[in-house]
Amino acid sequence: MSQSRMTYLAFYKGTGKWWNKLIRLWTRGPYSHCEIVTSKPNSWRKTAQSLSASEWDGGVRKKTIDFTTDNWDLIPVAIDCDRLSQAKGEIGAKYDWVGILFSQILPLSREHPDKWFCSELAAFVIGLPDPHHFSPNSLYRKLKETC
């Protein structure tokens, strides 16, 4: 039986670039990206390690981010430790443009099995079925339903 632990999903609502605006418009909400927070924030720097998928960072990657700014909303979640380990094993995997096109833009429920986008990876780690169905905004709404 897998163990779980509490952490946060961080949802990006900063202005960002043109693509952030397009994502927010298309997915009807304030968020254009999400991160799985994988470490406790450092009290001196107010930063934490996170895991996500980003085309602009080369696909699945870990990154240190300052989550204390007004650009982020954090929601506490229970994550499955085995799934988190699997997700960490995906570091270096490419960004899932097929999943974005065929599950987010066109409702065909298709995704690439070896590639990820941010909300797909986050939904996988918290154990939601069909994680490729979630945009940052639909994932946020789903989590708020259960709170």
Side-chain angles (χ1 to χ4, degrees):
M1 178 174 232
S2 178
Q3 293 184 343
S4 65
R5 71 174 174 96
M6 292 301 293
T7 191
Y8 294 93
L9 291 187
F11 292 86
Y12 182 71
K13 61 182 179 181
T15 304
K17 306 287 185 195
W18 65 268
W19 58 82
N20 298 96
K21 293 174 188 166
L22 183 63
I23 292 167
R24 287 192 297 271
L25 179 67
W26 185 261
T27 62
R28 296 181 302 271
Y31 306 108
S32 60
H33 180 68
C34 63
E35 297 274 339
I36 305 156
V37 180
T38 59
S39 72
K40 293 181 180 166
N42 176 324
S43 61
W44 178 63
R45 286 192 219 122
K46 307 287 189 213
T47 61
Q49 284 289 314
S50 66
L51 178 69
S52 192
S54 167
E55 172 62 25
W56 295 272
D57 289 334
V60 179
R61 49 77 179 139
K62 61 182 177 177
K63 188 174 186 175
T64 301
I65 296 177
D66 178 0
F67 291 110
T68 62
T69 70
D70 290 339
N71 291 332
W72 297 94
D73 285 336
L74 279 72
I75 295 184
V77 293
I79 58 171
D80 180 290
C81 293
D82 288 343
R83 286 177 176 264
L84 179 61
S85 291
Q86 284 179 274
K88 286 180 177 178
E90 294 293 322
I91 292 173
K94 298 295 183 196
Y95 192 77
D96 189 7
W97 282 110
V98 169
I100 292 290
L101 178 62
F102 293 115
S103 69
Q104 299 297 308
I105 297 172
L106 301 173
L108 300 175
S109 191
R110 303 274 191 250
E111 49 92 26
H112 193 288
D114 299 322
K115 297 179 182 182
W116 298 89
F117 54 91
C118 66
S119 48
E120 177 185 25
L121 190 64
F124 170 79
V125 168
I126 60 176
L128 293 176
D130 299 319
H132 59 282
H133 286 253
F134 292 94
S135 70
N137 285 297
S138 65
L139 181 58
Y140 182 88
R141 288 189 292 268
K142 175 75 172 173
L143 292 173
K144 291 306 275 185
E145 282 176 8
T146 60
C147 290

